[in-house]
Amino acid sequence: MTMRAVRGAVQLERDDRTHLRHSVKTLFQQMLDANGLVHDDLVSVIFTATPDLHSDFPAVAVRELGLADVPLMCAQELDIEGALPRVVRILAHADTERPKPEIQHVYLGGAAALRRDLATAVQDPA
């Protein structure tokens, strides 16, 4: 097995705890599904949120999926003028047999505009 990084992002419609948790869970599950990953494959997960999101920690949503033994860390995204607002990004490290070119990165909603070159499983999180 090799450790790979899987990226994803979602733009939220609003800064609301329920909406944030639902959107992050949807994004994270799509990241796992697109790459054939399960809980035991995960090494660690880093979340970032833009400075305009205050309603909750994105990691809480993933903890609700049962990831009690996977290290999770939240950080604030840089506050760059003109950056896409209300975005949660995820960088998951996982053990997998997939070669790097076969890793599927997932960008949902307005976040699809961030990396059109990488987004391969873009769907509406609603």
Side-chain angles (χ1 to χ4, degrees):
M1 291 254 182
T2 301
M3 188 183 333
R4 300 283 185 218
V6 181
R7 297 193 292 189
V10 61
Q11 183 180 33
L12 305 181
E13 295 174 13
R14 62 194 173 282
D15 184 22
D16 169 80
R17 176 177 289 167
T18 302
H19 178 58
L20 183 144
R21 288 185 185 185
H22 171 75
S23 298
V24 170
K25 285 177 189 176
T26 299
L27 171 61
F28 191 73
Q29 192 61 58
Q30 286 192 27
M31 291 170 64
L32 295 179
D33 293 347
N35 291 286
L37 299 171
V38 296
H39 176 143
D40 286 342
D41 298 328
L42 296 170
V43 175
S44 64
V45 184
I46 299 170
F47 302 83
T48 64
T50 51
D52 52 1
L53 293 176
H54 307 278
S55 60
D56 207 352
F57 294 100
V60 171
V62 173
R63 286 276 184 241
E64 289 179 351
L65 294 174
L67 272 70
D69 63 346
V70 176
L72 308 178
M73 183 170 66
C74 293
Q76 188 175 72
E77 192 71 35
L78 294 173
D79 191 10
I80 304 297
E81 186 175 329
L84 200 60
R86 300 176 317 281
V87 174
V88 174
R89 291 173 173 85
I90 300 176
L91 179 63
H93 303 95
D95 291 326
T96 181
E97 296 292 338
R98 284 185 186 228
K100 198 181 293 186
E102 291 181 19
I103 296 297
Q104 303 288 309
H105 305 285
V106 180
Y107 291 79
L108 303 179
L114 294 171
R115 291 298 306 259
R116 292 195 190 281
D117 58 323
L118 293 180
T120 56
V122 177
Q123 297 176 12
D124 189 349

